[in-house]
Amino acid sequence: MKIHVYQVVIICISSVMLFQGIKDFLKRETGQTFLKLAVRLIVWGGMALVAVYPNSTMLVAKFIGIEGNINAVILTGFLLVFLLIFKLLSAIEKIEQNISELTRKEALSHLDDQITTARHEDVQK
Amino acid sequence: MMDDKTVAIVIPAYNESEVIAEVIKEIRDAGEYRIVVVDDGSSDATYQAAKACAGVVALRHRINRGKGAATKTGIMAANRLGADIIVTMDGDGQHDPTDIRALIQPIREKACDVVLGTRPKVKGEMPYIKIIANRIGNIVTWLLYGMHVSDSQSGFRAYSHFAASIIDTKADKYEYDSKVIREINNNRLRFTEVPIQVRYTAYSMGKVQKQGFINGIKTLVRMIWGMLV
């Protein structure tokens, strides 16, 4: 069986990414959820699988129903990337809102002092 | 005819130390209003300049969160201060405080809950590029939120205490103004539009953080994104 360069490169990168993900999850590092691990296993595991067994793309093509195995893989990849970006942007949006809320609470916590000062100034006038 | 309603003027300000004291003075000259300035994490002395003005409630965002976030903070503060009518206006002096009286009149008369200040969209009175941008903003607001208004991007508005309590949007940046239109529509609030004057000075036109073309595109993207998530 002839081994191509792309197969070696993909397997190396996938191995590192999978090792890192599993290690972080087992060490229970901050923000490492099972969902994150699952996504990592599917994405990088899937790429490694395709690199080792290029013909497995035929199964994906057959399952999705698209002629041409590599097109099916690329399409699936795009969908996964789109979903990941969507998830990521939603998380950023949520964090942005939380930051604004915290900033607002902090600003409003000084309101009572301001009211007292303003009233004091009104009385002095 | 004046009544005993408390009117609070909310001014979101970002790096306006040069003009904020003058804006406050003009508001004071225009009538007896409570003034709430929200410094949105300015890198200059905007907060100190506002705080130095007697009787002004000056609040400060520790970090910059955008015009919408600062306006919302100011409205919440005004509500806590017990304001019956809340007016929002820009901190760069482009809005004329003498228009406040006309702006709050429909709310005083209990004719509506929200009054939208409408800038004149005539060549000569408003820069041509702003007229086009404004029309695009109005169309996008209508398409996304189902309500057509003459000036969806104007920051000079007046709210009754009820409207200010019920309007709730998480928009932090310039899309806040359009999201308020959505809230008016969703909550079936009564609104009217009142013509206002705008003073386009070299100072107000020269600021980089204003709603320019690039910021307009960003606002548009955020509005569409807000529909998806």
Side-chain angles (χ1 to χ4, degrees):
Chain A
M1 192 178 84
K2 196 184 171 191
I3 299 173
H4 296 277
V5 179
Y6 85 90
Q7 288 175 302
V8 177
V9 172
I10 289 177
I11 289 166
C12 287
I13 296 171
S14 300
S15 304
V16 172
M17 296 307 283
L18 287 171
F19 172 74
Q20 202 74 32
I22 293 166
K23 190 187 82 180
D24 287 351
F25 181 73
L26 292 177
K27 278 188 169 179
R28 298 190 180 279
E29 290 201 10
T30 319
Q32 292 304 314
T33 60
F34 181 73
L35 184 71
K36 270 189 183 177
L37 179 70
V39 169
R40 201 179 269 243
L41 287 175
I42 291 166
V43 174
W44 292 107
M47 282 178 78
L49 191 76
V50 170
V52 176
Y53 302 107
N55 289 336
S56 62
T57 53
M58 291 299 287
L59 290 171
V60 180
K62 207 174 171 184
F63 176 71
I64 298 171
I66 296 175
E67 292 285 331
N69 52 352
I70 200 68
N71 290 345
V73 173
I74 290 169
L75 184 71
T76 315
F78 268 120
L79 280 173
L80 276 173
V81 169
F82 177 76
L83 284 173
L84 283 173
I85 291 171
F86 193 81
K87 175 89 185 146
L88 203 65
L89 289 176
S90 301
I92 292 169
E93 181 83 13
K94 186 74 190 156
I95 291 166
E96 289 260 1
Q97 285 171 5
N98 287 344
I99 292 170
S100 291
E101 205 50 48
L102 275 172
T103 310
R104 181 169 297 119
K105 276 188 181 162
E106 197 279 331
L108 289 171
S109 68
H110 301 290
L111 183 62
D112 290 337
D113 305 337
Q114 294 272 324
I115 295 167
T116 313
T117 313
R119 277 189 188 145
H120 185 66
E121 282 167 354
D122 285 346
V123 169
Q124 278 187 332
K125 270 201 265 178
Chain B
M1 196 179 80
M2 298 293 282
D3 54 25
D4 58 352
K5 286 194 187 304
T6 313
V7 181
I9 313 295
V10 169
I11 310 168
Y14 179 63
N15 287 345
E16 309 282 14
S17 63
E18 276 183 49
V19 293
I20 195 72
E22 183 58 29
V23 171
I24 291 167
K25 186 185 169 294
E26 280 191 339
I27 295 169
R28 288 222 184 288
D29 293 343
E32 201 172 304
Y33 308 115
R34 295 220 67 166
I35 301 170
V36 179
V37 176
V38 182
D39 168 36
D40 190 26
S42 299
S43 53
D44 65 5
T46 301
Y47 175 70
Q48 288 79 1
K51 209 175 175 201
C53 300
V56 170
V57 174
L59 300 171
R60 175 165 52 173
H61 281 179
R62 295 277 171 192
I63 50 172
N64 180 249
R65 297 310 302 150
K67 187 196 169 192
T71 305
K72 193 175 168 184
T73 301
I75 288 176
M76 285 176 84
N79 264 340
R80 288 194 195 174
L81 290 168
D84 299 303
I85 300 171
I86 297 164
V87 176
T88 59
M89 61 188 291
D90 290 357
D92 59 3
Q94 68 165 276
H95 295 142
D96 189 341
T98 55
D99 284 331
I100 294 173
R101 199 175 286 267
L103 207 67
I104 61 178
Q105 195 55 34
I107 299 176
R108 280 194 194 280
E109 291 167 355
K110 299 189 193 307
C112 60
D113 305 299
V114 182
V115 182
L116 307 174
T118 305
R119 293 168 287 183
K121 284 174 281 296
V122 185
K123 206 176 168 187
E125 286 195 56
M126 185 188 236
Y128 195 61
I129 189 76
K130 273 188 174 280
I131 295 175
I132 297 169
N134 200 278
R135 294 225 166 109
I136 294 171
N138 293 346
I139 292 168
V140 173
T141 303
W142 171 62
L143 287 172
L144 295 181
Y145 306 135
M147 206 167 96
H148 190 268
V149 293
S150 310
D151 193 348
S152 60
Q153 308 305 306
S154 169
F156 202 7
R157 293 171 174 178
Y159 305 90
S160 66
H161 180 80
F162 170 70
S165 314
I166 206 169
I167 288 174
D168 184 29
T169 159
K170 289 182 168 39
D172 286 340
K173 315 286 183 200
Y174 279 101
E175 72 274 21
Y176 174 85
D177 293 325
S178 290
K179 291 275 178 82
V180 166
I181 305 293
R182 181 198 66 184
E183 289 292 296
I184 292 170
N185 195 23
N186 288 356
N187 292 301
R188 301 278 186 271
L189 294 171
R190 296 168 303 155
F191 81 100
T192 188
E193 295 177 282
V194 167
I196 55 161
Q197 303 168 65
V198 183
R199 301 171 295 191
Y200 294 105
T201 59
Y203 173 80
S204 70
M205 293 296 286
K207 295 196 75 184
V208 286
Q209 70 269 20
K210 288 288 167 197
Q211 177 79 300
F213 179 73
I214 300 294
N215 279 340
I217 299 290
K218 284 183 185 171
T219 302
L220 178 64
V221 170
R222 275 195 297 271
M223 282 165 74
I224 294 169
W225 177 252
M227 299 287 287
L228 299 173
V229 293

